[in-house]
Amino acid sequence: MRGPLGRDASGAGAGGGKGGDDAAAGIIRHDRKCRDLPFLALFAAFWVAMIVNSSFGFNQGSPLRLTYGLDYKGNICGSKHGDPDLSELDVRYWVNPNQVYQSGLKNSTNDLADAKAICLMECPYPAEDGLNFVCDYPEGDIRLSVDDWIDRDYDYFEYLTPDMRNSSLQLQGPCYPIIFPSINVYWSCQFIARPSNVSLKHWQQMGGVSIDENMLIDKTIHNSINYKSSVLKRYVADIGKSWPVLIVCGGLLPLFLSLIWLAMIRYFVAGMPWITVILFNALVVSVTMFFYIKAGWIGNDPLTVVIGPSDPYVSIGGREINHLHAAAVLMTVVMIIAFLTSIALVRRILIATSTTVLKVAAKVIGEVHALIIFPVVPYFALAIIYMFWFAATLYLFSSGQVLQNDCNAECCSFDLKLGKVNCDSCCGYSVHYTPHIGIAILFHLFGCYWATQFFIACSSTVIAGSVASYYWARGEISHDIPFHTVVSSVKRLLRYSLGSVALGSLIVSSVEWVRCILKSLRRRLKGVDSTGESRLGKTVSSSSHCCLGCIDWTIKSVNRNAYIVIAVTGKGFCKASELATGLIMNNILRIGKVNVIGDVILYLGKLCVSLSSALFAFLMLDTHKYRSAHNKISSPLFPVLLCWALGYVVAQLFFGVVETSVETIILSFCQDAEEHDGEAQYAPPLLMETLGDTSQLQRLTQGP
């Protein structure tokens, strides 16, 4: 008779008296062949496409575009490749306040992108006792170097010819009056609609044209800075600015914490549930408090959108601050749920600590020492992929062509090269994106998720093969276990099962992405017509979302067990999923209650590692380096969330040692029981104690 995993049950019955090597060889099949090869080829082709896709970003993109704006010539502020060299001039300033005002009118044909802007070192401020000017880049008849122009505070009005002066008084340049104070908000000078009376009076006495003093000049620039795409660009730019934080808090710290956790589960398994629950609650409270501080709800250190010194009487908000408010509210909800869940867990931990299979997993880790070290291999593989992926992300999000706008604006400005007023080309420049760039970004994001799932699946498959060898050997080959079983499991994976792992990770990634796409569509449809949605539509939408969530959870659960069967039998992914599901369903009443608390503790442990990463990211980002000058991040939100996600991935790799060990032992127990008429022959006494089979426990401990 053959068991569900394809093992000969009649031979297994006699295996009880055989050596551990024979027993282990009986369950770990060696007559394998390569499975699901088309999906391995698909995975390889996908990564070739990822490299090609990324090369497009490296060729077309410039990360400076994510932070700094464009001047009226199409140069990126802060770029040394501009005309002139703008390497020290990184603040965008709109020189003509009337153009800014007109672009904010509802029915205006003018757009702020077409208003004349130049790059400066800092935002200018009106003179206290006179009138200052900001003049165009020196060229043509203006015989000044850029350095001299900067030293003169961008003002060479005294060198202008009569024609140039008359043109300047008509707000056509090359010099423009500084009437309104401005403040550096994310590297763009936002006007404060509070004109200097002294400067305005001097301007009027010189015969300058009327200047609009409406609040609209403030709101127009503010709305442009806070446009959704601008905020997203700044968030992506924060990745590049905070890369040391990502390496330390998203890579090294979770590695260190995960290894400590594995060591503690090995030597202090009885106290780990309590430590994990207490630490989880403390970390949730700490992270929530940091969000409260940055949102400005407690303390005196809120996030500011202003770069450099600012007027304390001027308050400027932004989407970043609103997002921190939303995150603080969400973390408050999470904190309340964490407290309530912990209260419910206390009683379960008191009852279930001695009945979980964490002790068995700890014993396995103690015997198979290489299991603790092995996750370092996929960890470094993912680290290399992530470094490449993040670099490509910066370039993809900033890719596009800088082209002159096609505008209907009626404006004129003095062209210093031509030496006269030019009314033919007053349209500004913008970065133009084509639809395929959006597709390239989505493709890039999906590739990262698939690669992450692939390496996690590879790690689970190797661990499952090693633990299965341990179970069926009864510990009789302990001298051979520490490294040989892990190396053998790696060889089997690389030679036979990579295609199956690629298929399983593709299924998980695809279902997850379908959920994300449908969730995005629901959000957009709700925004388009929130009042006209029927009750039936809401019900269908909520039901579909719930069903997809259940399907996603089910597939992930089936996948984990399928990887175990793949490691043991070498079957293809679909057949392994069928065998694993059948084995669990046949023993569901026996094992259903075994590892509920164990799963919860492992999940909370992963959250502890990821929350620690987020907490330390907050602390690093709160230093002077990331709060001033060019390294100032727009908000700690994105780097913190990214460190949280990276910390969770690293924790999943290392905690997978315990998680996969537990599930492999349970599946092996089910297979053992199936082969021996419901009485497991190879189960260690500790597992029999956990499952409560006292007669079997006496047989295993006392011998025949």
Side-chain angles (χ1 to χ4, degrees):
M1 184 179 76
R2 298 183 75 82
L5 297 185
R7 189 172 128 94
D8 193 343
S10 59
K18 293 182 180 181
D21 289 303
D22 295 334
I27 185 64
I28 303 297
R29 296 190 54 167
H30 296 278
D31 54 335
R32 301 176 180 233
K33 62 180 180 179
C34 296
R35 305 283 185 177
D36 301 316
L37 280 178
F39 293 97
L40 179 59
L42 176 63
F43 184 75
F46 186 91
W47 266 95
V48 171
M50 279 281 290
I51 294 173
V52 173
N53 186 55
S54 299
S55 66
F56 162 78
F58 288 123
N59 184 47
Q60 296 287 332
S62 174
L64 285 176
R65 297 174 188 167
L66 300 173
T67 302
Y68 307 111
L70 302 178
D71 68 4
Y72 75 98
K73 292 184 175 184
N75 300 316
I76 305 172
C77 292
S79 173
K80 63 181 179 181
H81 303 295
D83 178 25
D85 183 357
L86 303 176
S87 54
E88 297 181 354
L89 307 171
D90 40 34
V91 181
R92 178 173 52 175
Y93 176 72
W94 285 272
V95 293
N96 190 335
N98 280 2
Q99 284 186 336
V100 174
Y101 170 77
Q102 291 165 8
S103 65
L105 297 174
K106 288 185 178 180
N107 299 321
S108 175
T109 58
N110 299 329
D111 190 79
L112 186 63
D114 299 316
K116 189 167 185 175
I118 63 175
C119 302
L120 308 177
M121 289 187 68
E122 56 188 17
C123 295
Y125 213 80
E128 296 181 358
D129 55 356
L131 176 63
N132 291 340
F133 289 84
V134 168
C135 300
D136 201 351
Y137 305 127
E139 55 187 353
D141 292 336
I142 305 299
R143 308 296 183 181
L144 286 176
S145 67
V146 174
D147 290 336
D148 291 337
W149 174 64
I150 295 173
D151 292 339
R152 296 181 59 87
D153 291 332
Y154 327 108
D155 186 354
Y156 51 76
F157 185 81
E158 62 184 273
Y159 296 148
L160 299 184
T161 64
D163 288 341
M164 291 180 183
R165 291 198 176 201
N166 289 333
S167 174
S168 298
L169 293 175
Q170 299 300 314
L171 286 181
Q172 294 179 348
C175 293
Y176 300 84
I178 304 174
I179 303 297
F180 296 93
S182 58
I183 192 167
N184 186 348
V185 178
Y186 295 132
W187 307 105
S188 290
C189 294
Q190 179 175 326
F191 287 135
I192 300 172
R194 195 173 60 198
S196 167
N197 293 329
V198 174
S199 298
L200 188 59
K201 183 178 179 180
H202 275 77
W203 172 254
Q204 292 168 348
Q205 290 173 350
M206 293 175 65
V209 297
S210 176
I211 292 179
D212 296 303
E213 304 175 31
N214 196 287
M215 282 285 294
L216 200 58
I217 68 165
D218 183 336
K219 293 181 179 179
T220 302
I221 297 178
H222 180 78
N223 292 338
S224 173
I225 295 173
N226 282 282
Y227 198 67
K228 290 181 180 178
S229 60
S230 301
V231 175
L232 178 59
K233 287 180 182 179
R234 289 197 293 271
Y235 279 157
V236 176
D238 289 342
I239 298 175
K241 295 176 183 178
S242 60
W243 64 266
V245 178
L246 299 182
I247 291 176
V248 174
C249 299
L252 300 179
L253 179 64
L255 170 65
F256 176 70
L257 294 178
S258 297
L259 289 173
I260 288 179
W261 199 91
L262 285 180
M264 291 183 69
I265 203 74
R266 167 69 183 93
Y267 296 105
F268 195 50
V269 64
M272 284 308 294
W274 296 105
I275 294 174
T276 303
V277 171
I278 294 172
L279 187 60
F280 170 68
N281 283 276
L283 288 169
V284 168
V285 172
S286 300
V287 173
T288 303
M289 290 302 101
F290 263 103
F291 274 114
Y292 271 61
I293 292 170
K294 290 304 170 184
W297 289 349
I298 60 175
N300 298 311
D301 189 25
L303 175 71
T304 174
V305 300
V306 177
I307 296 174
S310 62
D311 189 340
Y313 298 101
V314 176
S315 177
I316 300 177
R319 285 184 183 269
E320 286 87 351
I321 297 176
N322 295 336
H323 293 164
L324 283 175
H325 289 166
V329 172
L330 180 61
M331 284 303 301
T332 303
V333 175
V334 171
M335 183 173 63
I336 295 172
I337 294 175
F339 283 149
L340 296 177
T341 304
S342 300
I343 294 172
L345 277 176
V346 168
R347 183 170 174 272
R348 297 287 299 177
I349 291 174
L350 288 171
I351 298 173
T353 298
S354 60
T355 61
T356 63
V357 290
L358 288 177
K359 292 181 179 180
V360 183
K363 188 174 186 299
V364 174
I365 294 173
E367 292 285 344
V368 190
H369 305 303
L371 285 178
I372 297 180
I373 304 172
F374 170 73
V376 174
V377 176
Y379 168 84
F380 279 110
L382 277 177
I384 295 171
I385 289 176
Y386 283 162
M387 284 188 286
F388 166 78
W389 186 86
F390 281 127
T393 299
L394 292 175
Y395 281 89
L396 276 173
F397 270 89
S398 62
S399 59
Q401 291 182 307
V402 178
L403 301 174
Q404 190 168 23
N405 301 326
D406 183 13
C407 66
N408 297 319
E410 298 179 0
C411 60
C412 300
S413 63
F414 197 96
D415 191 324
L416 287 172
K417 287 185 177 180
L418 298 177
K420 64 177 183 178
V421 175
N422 183 8
C423 300
D424 295 332
S425 58
C426 62
C427 296
Y429 285 79
S430 299
V431 181
H432 291 259
Y433 300 95
T434 55
H436 75 270
I437 293 178
I439 297 173
I441 291 173
L442 290 177
F443 183 83
H444 189 69
L445 295 173
F446 179 79
C448 177
Y449 193 78
W450 189 6
T452 301
Q453 293 298 323
F454 177 82
F455 281 100
I456 290 175
C458 287
S459 180
S460 298
T461 305
V462 170
I463 293 167
S466 303
V467 175
S469 298
Y470 170 85
Y471 178 94
W472 293 95
R474 284 183 180 170
E476 295 175 12
I477 52 172
S478 58
H479 63 280
D480 196 32
I481 281 178
F483 292 99
H484 176 73
T485 54
V486 175
V487 173
S488 299
S489 189
V490 171
K491 288 180 179 178
R492 289 192 296 269
L493 169 70
L494 296 178
R495 186 172 180 182
Y496 302 109
S497 303
L498 281 178
S500 301
V501 170
L503 174 56
S505 57
L506 175 61
I507 292 174
V508 171
S509 303
S510 300
V511 172
E512 193 69 31
W513 269 82
V514 169
R515 282 186 65 198
C516 291
I517 292 172
L518 291 179
K519 190 181 295 184
S520 177
L521 290 175
R522 285 178 62 211
R523 193 179 297 113
R524 290 192 177 186
L525 291 174
K526 190 177 294 185
V528 171
D529 187 13
S530 57
T531 58
E533 190 176 7
S534 64
R535 183 175 298 178
L536 177 62
K538 291 181 180 179
T539 304
V540 171
S541 177
S542 301
S543 301
S544 62
H545 179 67
C546 182
C547 288
L548 278 173
C550 293
I551 291 172
D552 181 52
W553 180 85
T554 303
I555 287 177
K556 286 181 178 179
S557 179
V558 170
N559 271 20
R560 289 198 304 268
N561 293 300
Y563 297 143
I564 296 171
V565 177
I566 289 170
V568 171
T569 67
K571 301 287 186 183
F573 177 81
C574 296
K575 184 63 176 178
S577 300
E578 178 188 345
L579 292 174
T581 304
L583 198 58
I584 292 174
M585 294 305 295
N586 290 340
N587 297 270
I588 190 67
L589 295 178
R590 191 171 194 177
I591 67 172
K593 63 178 182 179
V594 169
N595 198 36
V596 176
I597 296 299
D599 282 340
V600 173
I601 297 304
L602 287 171
Y603 180 66
L604 292 183
K606 295 175 191 176
L607 290 179
C608 284
V609 172
S610 58
L611 285 170
S612 298
S613 298
L615 181 61
F616 276 86
F618 260 126
L619 293 173
M620 285 191 68
L621 293 170
D622 206 34
T623 57
H624 178 74
K625 177 180 178 180
Y626 300 104
R627 299 178 61 178
S628 61
H630 296 83
N631 275 330
K632 177 179 170 64
I633 59 171
S634 63
S635 169
L637 181 61
F638 214 69
V640 165
L641 291 179
L642 208 50
C643 286
W644 177 88
L646 291 173
Y648 190 85
V649 170
V650 174
Q652 197 165 0
L653 279 175
F654 285 87
F655 283 50
V657 172
V658 179
E659 202 168 23
T660 306
S661 297
V662 167
E663 292 174 348
T664 304
I665 289 168
I666 291 176
L667 273 184
S668 298
F669 176 85
C670 294
Q671 165 70 4
D672 194 3
E674 289 269 336
E675 292 179 353
H676 300 98
D677 299 324
E679 295 184 357
Q681 300 293 317
Y682 290 87
L686 185 58
L687 180 62
M688 298 306 302
E689 179 184 357
T690 300
L691 295 173
D693 197 335
T694 55
S695 61
Q696 284 292 98
L697 178 62
Q698 290 176 359
R699 183 188 65 77
L700 289 168
T701 54
Q702 296 175 1

